[in-house]
Amino acid sequence: MQEINATGNGIQLYRNSKKTKKLLFTSLGVCIILLLVILYSAGIFDGELKIKPLVVSAAVFLIMFILLLKSVLGLKDKSPLIELNKQNFYGKTTPMSKSFGVVNWEDVANIQSEKTGGDTLVVVTINNPEKYEGRLSKMLWNMAHNKDTNQLTLMYSASEIDVDSNALFNLFTKSWKESASVSI
């Protein structure tokens, strides 16, 4: 449910249980398919061991299974998945955005909507990366930091919240514009 908090200076977006269940069942389906590939590659069905598919499918299965378990454990969290207010925003709809934490609107350079795989993400480009250094692991930092432009890129998904990707993009851009008018 989308909710404007009691003070009126922010928007809080919460988990949509239907979307979350659909995402979890899809992830579970992928894990089952990968498990079948592992069994086939191990030679359970035809007696022939296939090393490369076994290793690859086992690695992908482990990653998917760990993410699935983390998602199931995260269902207990009843806090908003995205919070937008006049000064900053915070989201935990992707591993990177969750690790990154709060971002000040004054550091935002651009906001775009980008189709990635089966999801449409809100992509926020951030200036002043030095201000945010140390928030992400080295691997996530290297993924987020563009050395050519010296900017960070964070992505936010609508896959588990009560609004669709277009509405999320509009909320981000509206909040960004409102923050600029407040700071003038």
Side-chain angles (χ1 to χ4, degrees):
M1 119 186 126
Q2 180 180 339
E3 178 180 299
I4 298 178
N5 64 16
T7 59
N9 31 321
I11 297 171
Q12 297 177 334
L13 301 171
Y14 291 88
R15 183 179 313 279
N16 178 319
S17 60
K18 279 186 178 180
K19 282 184 171 181
T20 301
K21 286 177 186 174
K22 183 179 177 185
L23 194 62
L24 290 175
F25 283 127
T26 302
S27 298
L28 181 61
V30 170
C31 283
I32 290 170
I33 290 170
L34 287 169
L35 191 57
L36 290 172
V37 172
I38 290 170
L39 293 173
Y40 173 76
S41 299
I44 300 295
F45 301 119
D46 63 0
E48 186 179 328
L49 180 65
K50 298 153 197 78
I51 298 292
K52 286 182 184 179
L54 178 64
V55 171
V56 170
S57 58
V60 174
F61 172 79
L62 283 175
I63 292 168
M64 284 293 297
F65 190 71
I66 289 169
L67 291 174
L68 179 64
L69 285 178
K70 286 178 84 173
S71 295
V72 169
L73 294 174
L75 291 176
K76 293 178 184 177
D77 182 8
K78 300 297 181 197
S79 64
L81 293 182
I82 295 179
E83 292 184 59
L84 308 162
N85 64 42
K86 293 177 182 167
Q87 293 81 30
N88 51 49
F89 62 95
Y90 169 74
K92 39 187 184 177
T93 59
T94 63
M96 189 178 303
S97 65
K98 185 176 184 174
S99 297
F100 196 82
V102 177
V103 180
N104 294 328
W105 286 115
E106 64 189 22
D107 297 321
V108 174
N110 192 17
I111 299 175
Q112 296 177 326
S113 180
E114 184 177 300
K115 183 101 171 132
T116 306
D119 199 4
T120 302
L121 303 171
V122 174
V123 180
V124 180
T125 305
I126 303 167
N127 288 325
N128 199 6
E130 300 80 24
K131 179 177 178 180
Y132 299 101
E133 207 161 355
R135 292 189 179 191
L136 297 172
S137 68
K138 187 172 184 171
M139 180 185 77
L140 288 177
W141 181 264
N142 288 335
M143 289 171 60
H145 187 246
N146 183 333
K147 292 177 183 173
D148 296 333
T149 62
N150 195 33
Q151 293 177 321
L152 296 170
T153 303
L154 295 177
M155 298 179 186
Y156 299 86
S157 172
S159 62
E160 290 186 77
I161 58 176
D162 255 349
V163 298
D164 65 12
S165 56
N166 290 330
L168 182 62
F169 174 74
N170 291 334
L171 285 170
F172 264 86
T173 54
K174 180 181 176 203
S175 296
W176 183 33
K177 289 175 186 173
E178 288 175 0
S179 74
S181 66
V182 169
S183 62
I184 294 176

